Amino acid sequence: MKMAGVGNGWPKSERALLCMKYFLFVFNVLSFLTAVVILTLGLWIRYDWDFKHYILELHLYQFWTGVYILIAAASIVMALSFIGCCGTITENPTILGLYGILLCVCFVLEIAGVAVLLNNGTLWSNVTWWLRDRFYELIYVSDTNAREARILRIIQEEVGCCGSYSSLDYINVHKPVPNECRDKATGNEYLDGCYIRMSRYLEERSGWIAGIALFLAVLQILGITASLTMRHTLRKLENEGKVYNPVKKSKA
C-alpha cells in the first residue's frame, strides 16, 4: 500500500502516518544497535575465560540464566528490526500488527532476563547469600579437595578478599590464614570477605548489560505504541479510501 502525495493540504491522519513512519525507521535502527551492544556484552560475559573460570569452579551457573535470556532477546530484536522496517516501508497493517506483538514478546523477555540477572548477579541479591555459603564450603573442604582449595586461593588473590566473611572463618575452624589473604604490595590482610567482593565483581558485569536492556525495554514501549498506532491509522485511511490498495483496485 502506498500513501498519497504529500502536500500542504494533506489530511491530519496522513501527516501523522508519515511522522510514525520516520519514527519507526529511527526506532528500528536504534533498537538494532542497542541489541548488538547487549548481544556483544552477553557473549563477552559468557565466554570471557577468567570470568567463566570463576563461574564454572564455583558452580555459579544460575548467573548465566539471565545472560542467556538477554542474548536470546537481543538476537530476536535484531531480526525484528528488519521486519519492522519492511512493515513500515510497505505500510502493511498485518506485518505491523505482527511486529507489535513480537515487540511485546521481546519486552517480556528483556524484563525477565534483567530480573533474573539482577537477582543472581548483584550485591545483596540471592547470589550474595549463596556465595557466602559456597565460600564457607570451600574453606571447610580446602584440606581434602585440591581443586576447591585452588579456586579459593585464586579468588582470594585475584579478587582481593579473605575467607567468606573474613579471616576469622579460617581461625574459627582452626586453619591457618593463607598468604593469599594478604595484599602483595602492602602485606596487609584483606578486610572484605569473598562473598561481598565476589558479589560486587558480578555486579560490575551484570549492571551494564541489565541497564542497557532496561533502556531497550523502555524504548520498545514507544515502538509498540507507534507500530500499533500506525496499523490503526492505515486501516482507517484504507476504509476511507485514502490509501492506495492494489488488491482492491484490481478487483474494481
Side-chain angles (χ1 to χ4, degrees), residues 21-22 26-27 51 76 81 85-86 92 101-102 111 128 130 139 202 204 214 237 242:
K21 284 188 69 172
Y22 286 133
V26 175
F27 166 78
F51 187 70
I76 296 172
S81 297
C85 286
C86 291
N92 189 311
I101 293 172
L102 292 176
I111 295 299
T128 301
W130 186 93
I139 293 171
L202 295 174
E204 290 172 0
L214 282 176
L237 291 174
K242 295 180 180 179

Side-chain angles (χ1 to χ4, degrees), residues 38-244:
I38 293 174
L39 181 63
T40 303
L41 281 174
L43 293 175
W44 171 67
I45 290 173
R46 176 59 182 84
Y47 293 106
D48 175 64
W49 171 246
D50 290 336
F51 187 70
K52 177 181 177 180
H53 182 61
Y54 292 153
I55 299 296
L56 291 175
E57 293 298 326
L58 288 173
H59 303 160
L60 189 57
Y61 305 117
Q62 65 268 33
F63 175 81
W64 277 334
T65 303
V67 176
Y68 289 144
I69 295 174
L70 291 180
I71 288 175
S75 301
I76 296 172
V77 169
M78 290 170 64
L80 202 54
S81 297
F82 290 101
I83 297 176
C85 286
C86 291
T88 303
I89 292 172
T90 60
E91 298 175 18
N92 189 311
T94 302
I95 295 179
L96 287 170
L98 177 63
Y99 173 69
I101 293 172
L102 292 176
L103 277 181
C104 291
V105 174
C106 288
F107 175 82
V108 172
L109 279 176
E110 287 153 11
I111 295 299
V114 168
V116 172
L117 184 60
L118 293 181
N119 194 44
N120 292 285
T122 56
L123 184 62
W124 308 125
S125 64
N126 285 347
V127 77
T128 301
W129 313 118
W130 186 93
L131 285 169
R132 180 193 61 185
D133 296 339
R134 178 66 175 132
F135 280 113
Y136 280 139
E137 179 186 354
L138 292 178
I139 293 171
Y140 293 147
V141 302
S142 59
D143 290 338
T144 57
N145 190 317
R147 183 170 183 173
E148 302 278 66
R150 177 177 175 273
I151 189 60
L152 179 59
R153 290 196 305 270
I154 290 174
I155 290 176
Q156 289 179 146
E157 183 174 5
E158 295 184 356
V159 178
C161 58
C162 185
S164 181
Y165 182 77
S166 69
S167 60
L168 289 175
D169 297 330
Y170 288 98
I171 297 172
N172 290 338
V173 293
H174 309 292
K175 293 185 178 183
V177 178
N179 293 330
E180 289 80 13
C181 279
R182 296 185 178 278
D183 189 301
K184 288 185 177 180
T186 64
N188 295 329
E189 189 176 283
Y190 293 122
L191 299 178
D192 289 334
C194 288
Y195 85 99
I196 294 292
R197 292 289 295 175
M198 196 65 192
S199 295
R200 288 174 179 161
Y201 186 78
L202 295 174
E203 188 174 65
E204 290 172 0
R205 284 152 178 77
S206 60
W208 278 102
I209 189 172
I212 297 172
L214 282 176
F215 167 76
L216 180 59
V218 172
L219 188 65
Q220 284 180 334
I221 295 175
L222 300 177
I224 293 167
T225 303
S227 62
L228 296 181
T229 302
M230 183 176 177
R231 177 183 180 276
H232 173 75
T233 304
L234 284 168
R235 291 295 191 194
K236 179 181 177 182
L237 291 174
E238 182 180 326
N239 292 334
E240 293 174 354
K242 295 180 180 179
V243 178
Y244 174 72

